[in-house]
Amino acid sequence: MQLYYNPHSRAVTAKWMLDECGVDYELVHIDFLKREHKQPAFLQINPAGKLPALVDGRTKLFECAAICMYLAEKFPQKRLAPSVGAQDRGRYLSLMVYSTSQLEPAMGDAFMKVRPTAERGWTGFNEAVHVIERELGYGPWLLGAQFSAADVMIGSVFIWQKLFGGHSGSHKIEAYVQRLLARPAAMKLGIRAGKTA
Ligand SMILES: N[C@@H](CCC(=O)N[C@@H](CS)C(=O)NCC(=O)O)C(=O)O
């Protein structure tokens, strides 16, 4: 597998997921300044011209959540996603999509001080934080005792926020972030992520 990567990008989240899977992969460094991500060869992999992207033989993936769901399914022995038919499967899928469709844009709005409107399709950041606080319950992870790809996707949003000097405003989320950062494979605060970057 090849992960198209730049340490200053969301590709560190996909790398975290690969490291949680404990599998071999190759990092293909993409130089944003040289606009390598907008070249025809890369657009064949991700037509949106963004990182991350993953190639696994003849399979090409883009969008971080899709990459994480793919990896969780490719390596079921790692138990990073509930199997089809399992009780938590629906909640898991919902959280995976929620991470990029609501939580991340809500955080972006808060960062850029944009007032949220209902038409935008996501709530304000404080409301999103309350959603995740409720979903965490007693934890330690979103699905309870079982760490999953949902923790990688949701957790990375809060880790990114810290990288940019922000704060969730929630003690419960901050404690969750500390648990995530304590995982050996976790993306690291301070740009360089995981074991091989
Ligand atoms: N929703 C996408 C976002 C991808 C994205 O915006 N990637 C940024 C880096 S964090 C990028 O490649 N930006 C370069 C550009 O758009 O020129 C995902 O989750 O994969």
Side-chain angles (χ1 to χ4, degrees):
M1 282 184 289
Q2 290 87 40
L3 176 67
Y4 288 76
Y5 178 83
N6 182 297
H8 304 279
S9 80
R10 288 167 176 85
V12 297
T13 304
K15 182 177 183 305
W16 177 9
M17 182 67 187
L18 280 159
D19 290 334
E20 290 286 352
C21 292
V23 294
D24 288 334
Y25 59 90
E26 180 193 341
L27 289 182
V28 182
H29 282 265
I30 292 290
D31 189 329
F32 282 138
L33 292 177
K34 291 184 183 158
R35 299 190 63 72
E36 287 176 348
H37 56 309
K38 302 297 178 188
Q39 300 308 309
F42 183 74
L43 296 176
Q44 294 284 323
I45 301 168
N46 182 354
K50 284 178 172 287
L51 294 181
L54 183 80
V55 174
D56 181 17
R58 290 164 54 176
T59 302
K60 298 173 186 167
L61 292 121
F62 58 97
E63 286 296 322
C64 212
I67 291 170
C68 289
M69 288 192 275
Y70 175 82
L71 291 171
E73 280 165 22
K74 185 176 167 82
F75 303 106
Q77 69 279 17
K78 302 294 177 185
R79 302 184 63 222
L80 291 165
S83 52
V84 177
Q87 195 182 347
D88 268 351
R89 177 78 178 174
R91 217 175 123 248
Y92 160 76
L93 291 174
S94 303
L95 288 168
M96 293 299 283
V97 174
Y98 183 84
S99 65
T100 52
S101 67
Q102 294 217 41
L103 179 62
E104 190 187 293
M107 192 196 79
D109 280 355
F111 188 68
M112 291 183 285
K113 301 192 181 354
V114 173
R115 184 189 289 267
T117 61
E119 296 76 24
R120 288 174 73 86
W122 54 88
T123 64
F125 182 62
N126 291 342
E127 214 171 327
V129 167
H130 289 143
V131 167
I132 300 305
E133 281 180 323
R134 282 196 299 273
E135 290 300 310
L136 252 179
Y138 294 108
W141 312 117
L142 286 161
L143 301 183
Q146 189 61 50
F147 178 85
S148 75
D151 295 298
V152 172
M153 284 304 299
I154 298 276
S156 64
V157 176
F158 291 111
I159 295 173
W160 276 113
Q161 185 185 39
K162 287 185 98 55
L163 270 172
F164 285 99
H167 192 283
S168 67
S170 156
H171 292 307
K172 187 170 184 176
I173 298 290
E174 293 304 309
Y176 171 57
V177 168
Q178 292 311 316
R179 284 196 295 281
L180 289 165
L181 290 172
R183 295 183 68 82
M187 64 183 267
K188 300 287 182 276
L189 286 173
I191 303 299
R192 287 193 180 270
K195 61 186 180 202
T196 55

